């Protein structure tokens, strides 16, 4: 479903992704971890072309993401994205946040889009906030709206870039619960997160990155109990002991 | 000082006529410069190749010239290359050129002030560049632009008085005509026109502040989109 083949990415002279090879299959949940600055966000953002790759081959549903002939806006409707800082539209209500893209991109009627939006708001557990503005919600609620906004496009893939890193500890659980439910339903997910509980419970695979390279790929139990790479060991000991 | 002699009906009517021209010139210059500035500001924000560089040079040039010079140039120099205008159109053109440059900067920086994450959220959901600008960036930017825009419009209205240099029959010029006949009228007449400028500009700034207050209270309340329904 998502396939990286010898993908490299430079920011000017800076080699941020080095020879990335990675395949993510339909229905898989892949958790990406690694030290800050190792290229996790960049890797994720290449998948929906928020960043362009410098060379190599990156395909989503067998379509080349970099190819000029690929209709990127159409491809993006298949890929939902959830950001660390939510990025809800502050001038729109929760419902309007969710219905904007389905109406403008998929051409749904307002009626239909609202109905679908309510369904997903229900699913993330905040249907009562439909007419609130983002500023009136807690961080956890905002992030759940952001997830509902992504889901309303009915995507095949959901990307999460540190979705709980900006949240107060007591709100992390509510967001992870929504993500777990989504994973169990079979959504294809690529998640950058250091939440080990989440990774152990629902991830099919852990991808460990350091300095722009994928150093290790393993199933969660194996990775957390017995990391092979020295840098992965070091990294784990750091996040466990802080 | 001769207040009674200055404030005759004839004089006041003459001043009001001048004020009519002031408002007319300001009104057209505001409308024209706003639309031109909207285009220029957006092109520069979107970094449209070539065009945005051309606009950058023009804007920088105009912004660094005195408005008085632009007025003189438009009325006295343009005729030499075959473009001659009556005083009112010349005043509107000169003010529009200058204000469009100023306002385009307000618009460009307003657009730029919107968090890049907003754009990424829009683009990653499949919205085109234009749709993202139209539905996400512009409505938020407009809210932020209202105060600086209003204060620029106030400057423009005051700056119409510089058109005395081409004897545009506006408020300040008409005042000059009156006290030119009798120097005892000078202070009363200047006081009177000061009051007129003040009344209009102060009203505008109060409206602008009202908009600002509403904008933040309650969260998300939609005052600007009521004025600009297009951008809701
Ligand atoms: N737009 C950019 N321009 C230049 N350098 C960037 C840009 N975005 C990220 N980087 C750099 O690339 C490296 C990887 O960034 P990122 O993918 O955000 O890492 P991570 O998400 O793992 O913390 C960092 O050193 C960062 O400073
Ligand atoms: Mg990151």
């Amino acid at each position: 479903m998502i396939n990286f083949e010898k993908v490299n990415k430079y920011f000017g002279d800076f080699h941020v992704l080095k020879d990335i090879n990675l395949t993510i299959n339909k229905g898989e949940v892949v958790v990406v971890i690694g030290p800050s600055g190792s290229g996790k966000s960049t890797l994720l953002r290449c998948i929906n072309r928020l960043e362009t790759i410098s060379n190599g081959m990156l395909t989503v549903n067998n379509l080349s993401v970099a190819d000029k002939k690929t209709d990127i806006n159409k491809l993006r409707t298949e890929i939902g994205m959830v950001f660390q800082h939510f990025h809800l539209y502050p001038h729109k209500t929760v419902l309007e946040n969710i219905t904007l893209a389905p109406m403008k991109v998929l051409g749904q009627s307002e009626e239909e889009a609202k109905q679908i939006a309510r369904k997903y708001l229900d699913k993330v557990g905040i249907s009562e906030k439909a007419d609130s503005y983002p500023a009136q919600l807690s961080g956890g609620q905002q992030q759940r709206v952001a997830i509902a906004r992504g889901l309303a496009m009915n995507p095949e893939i959901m990307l999460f870039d540190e979705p709980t890193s900006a949240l107060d500890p007591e709100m992390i659980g509510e967001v992870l619960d929504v993500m777990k439910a989504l994973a169990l339903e079979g959504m294809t997910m690529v998640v950058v997160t250091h939440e080990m509980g989440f990774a152990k419970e629902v991830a099919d695979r852990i991808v460990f990155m350091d300095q722009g390279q994928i150093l290790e790929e393993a199933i969660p139990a194996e990775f957390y109990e017995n990391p092979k790479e020295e840098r992965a060991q070091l990294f784990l000991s750091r996040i466990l002991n802080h | 000082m001769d207040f009674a002699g200055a404030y005759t009906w004839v004089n006041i009517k003459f001043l009001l006529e001048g004020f009519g021209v002031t408002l007319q010139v300001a009104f057209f210059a505001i409308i024209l410069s706003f639309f031109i500035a909207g285009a220029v500001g957006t092109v520069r924000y979107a970094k449209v190749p070539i065009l945005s560089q051309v606009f950058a040079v023009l804007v920088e040039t105009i912004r660094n010239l005195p408005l008085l010079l632009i007025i003189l140039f438009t009325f006295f120099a343009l005729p030499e290359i075959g473009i001659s205008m009556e005083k009112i159109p010349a005043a509107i053109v000169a003010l529009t050129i200058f204000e469009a440059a100023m306002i385009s900067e307000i618009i460009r920086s307003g657009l730029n002030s919107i968090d890049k994450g907003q754009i990424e959220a829009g683009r990653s959901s499949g919205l085109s560049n234009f749709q993202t600008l139209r539905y996400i960036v512009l409505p938020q930017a407009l809210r932020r632009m209202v105060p600086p825009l209003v204060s620029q419009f106030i400057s423009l209205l005051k700056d119409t008085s510089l058109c005395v240099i081409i004897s545009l029959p506006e408020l300040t010029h008409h005042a000059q005509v009156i006290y030119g006949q009798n120097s005892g009228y000078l202070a009363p007449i200047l006081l009177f026109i000061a009051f007129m400028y003040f009344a209009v500009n102060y009203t505008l700034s109060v409206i602008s502040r009202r908009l600002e207050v509403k904008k933040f209270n309650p969260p998300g309340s939609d005052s600007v989109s009521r004025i600009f329904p297009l951008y809701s």
Side-chain angles (χ1 to χ4, degrees):
Chain A
M1 180 154 247
I2 303 171
N3 196 35
F4 286 79
E5 233 181 274
K6 293 205 174 144
V7 169
N8 286 282
K9 161 91 185 154
Y10 296 82
F11 284 120
D13 288 339
F14 182 56
H15 199 173
V16 56
L17 294 180
K18 297 173 186 160
D19 243 346
I20 300 290
N21 289 297
L22 179 67
T23 301
I24 295 163
N25 298 312
K26 192 170 172 58
E28 251 192 319
V29 177
V30 172
V31 163
V32 182
I33 71 169
S36 169
S38 56
K40 306 180 297 294
S41 297
T42 306
L43 178 88
L44 208 62
R45 293 158 57 84
C46 284
I47 296 173
N48 64 356
R49 217 209 269 173
L50 283 184
E51 303 288 354
T52 49
I53 63 173
S54 303
N55 59 56
M57 190 65 183
L58 168 58
T59 59
V60 174
N61 285 339
N62 297 319
L63 282 174
S64 163
V65 176
D67 194 337
K68 292 267 183 295
K69 275 176 284 187
T70 303
D71 181 347
I72 190 64
N73 292 334
K74 185 157 180 299
L75 188 62
R76 281 171 175 161
T77 64
E78 303 290 345
I79 309 170
M81 187 158 200
V82 174
F83 303 86
Q84 180 175 358
H85 297 287
F86 332 134
H87 300 324
L88 295 182
Y89 312 132
H91 60 300
K92 293 187 175 295
T93 64
V94 163
L95 208 60
E96 290 165 349
N97 261 275
I98 302 175
T99 57
L100 179 67
M103 283 165 61
K104 301 300 174 193
V105 181
L106 302 181
Q108 290 176 6
S109 69
E110 190 175 345
E111 208 79 338
E112 185 186 4
K114 277 187 175 169
Q115 196 186 336
I116 293 171
R118 286 188 197 282
K119 182 178 97 185
Y120 284 110
L121 274 181
D122 211 30
K123 187 166 172 157
V124 301
I126 35 177
S127 31
E128 77 281 2
K129 297 290 184 190
D131 297 318
S132 303
Y133 283 89
Q136 296 167 310
L137 305 183
S138 71
Q141 290 171 327
Q142 290 191 50
Q143 194 59 299
R144 284 185 284 153
V145 171
I147 294 172
R149 181 174 68 178
L151 293 176
M153 293 294 283
N154 195 21
E156 295 184 39
I157 301 165
M158 285 288 285
L159 309 176
F160 295 84
D161 192 358
E162 305 207 29
T164 57
S165 301
L167 298 177
D168 292 336
E170 74 270 19
M171 294 173 187
I172 292 176
E174 64 193 57
V175 171
L176 290 179
D177 285 344
V178 168
M179 292 169 60
K180 283 178 198 164
L182 203 57
L184 295 178
E185 285 170 20
M187 176 65 78
T188 308
M189 294 164 66
V190 187
V191 187
V192 177
T193 183
H194 294 156
E195 293 293 334
M196 202 188 302
F198 173 83
K200 280 183 172 166
E201 202 171 325
V202 298
D204 297 299
R205 232 179 330 146
I206 307 290
V207 169
F208 175 72
M209 287 186 73
D210 193 19
Q211 296 177 13
Q213 287 173 303
I214 294 181
L215 288 189
E216 188 164 348
E217 271 187 70
I219 60 168
E222 204 177 296
F223 179 80
Y224 287 112
E225 304 313 321
N226 196 7
K228 288 193 203 61
E229 283 290 326
E230 198 181 323
R231 276 188 270 176
Q233 292 162 9
L234 196 67
F235 174 75
L236 280 179
S237 71
R238 252 191 248 132
I239 61 169
L240 290 179
N241 299 330
H242 79 202
Chain B
M1 266 191 272
D2 181 358
F3 278 89
Y7 295 162
T8 60
W9 173 235
V10 174
N11 284 351
I12 287 178
K13 204 171 135 221
F14 190 59
L15 289 177
L16 287 175
E17 277 167 20
F19 199 46
V21 172
T22 294
L23 292 179
Q24 185 193 349
V25 167
F27 176 80
F28 285 109
I30 283 173
I31 301 289
L32 287 173
S33 60
F34 183 67
F35 281 102
I36 293 171
V40 172
T42 309
V43 163
R44 291 195 64 197
Y45 164 77
K47 299 200 169 68
V48 177
I50 304 173
L51 209 51
S52 72
Q53 280 95 326
V54 172
F55 286 164
V57 171
L58 286 173
V59 167
E60 279 317 304
T61 307
I62 294 165
R63 272 182 359 127
N64 289 297
L65 294 175
L67 174 55
L68 195 62
L69 183 65
I70 296 175
I71 295 169
L72 285 171
F73 190 87
T74 309
F75 191 66
F76 293 116
L78 284 187
E80 297 193 6
I81 56 162
I83 306 173
S84 40
M85 287 174 278
E86 297 293 318
K87 285 172 183 170
I88 290 181
I92 292 172
V93 167
L95 284 164
T96 298
I97 290 171
F98 183 75
E99 298 298 333
M102 307 296 278
I103 293 169
S104 75
E105 285 297 279
I106 295 176
I107 289 176
R108 186 171 70 99
S109 57
L111 292 170
N112 272 327
S113 75
I114 303 304
D115 179 24
K116 297 288 164 281
Q118 291 287 308
I119 298 163
E120 293 186 349
R123 293 308 310 276
S124 68
S125 70
L127 294 170
S128 67
N129 247 327
F130 176 77
Q131 287 173 319
T132 305
L133 182 66
R134 163 79 177 74
Y135 299 110
I136 298 170
V137 178
L138 205 50
Q140 295 182 57
L142 268 176
R143 285 170 171 74
R144 294 188 192 176
M145 288 175 209
V146 168
L149 280 178
V150 172
S151 86
Q152 193 62 40
F153 293 157
I154 289 172
S155 291
L156 192 161
L157 205 140
K158 291 187 293 190
D159 289 347
T160 55
S161 61
L162 290 174
C163 296
V164 291
I165 201 82
I166 59 168
S167 305
L168 178 76
E170 48 71 62
L171 186 57
T172 305
H173 178 69
H174 277 194
Q176 282 183 334
V177 170
I178 294 170
Y179 65 66
Q181 298 161 355
N182 182 335
S183 61
Y185 296 168
L186 190 137
I189 293 291
L190 288 184
L191 274 175
F192 187 84
I193 70 167
F195 172 76
M196 295 182 84
Y197 281 119
F198 177 83
V200 171
N201 288 328
Y202 187 70
T203 309
L204 279 177
S205 62
V206 168
I207 293 172
S208 152
R209 240 171 285 141
R210 285 265 169 80
L211 282 174
E212 262 182 283
V213 173
K214 273 194 203 154
K215 178 178 70 176
F216 293 117
N217 184 31
S221 100
D222 236 346
S223 53
V224 173
S225 64
R226 254 177 266 130
I227 301 174
F228 303 106
L230 177 65
Y231 297 114
S232 67

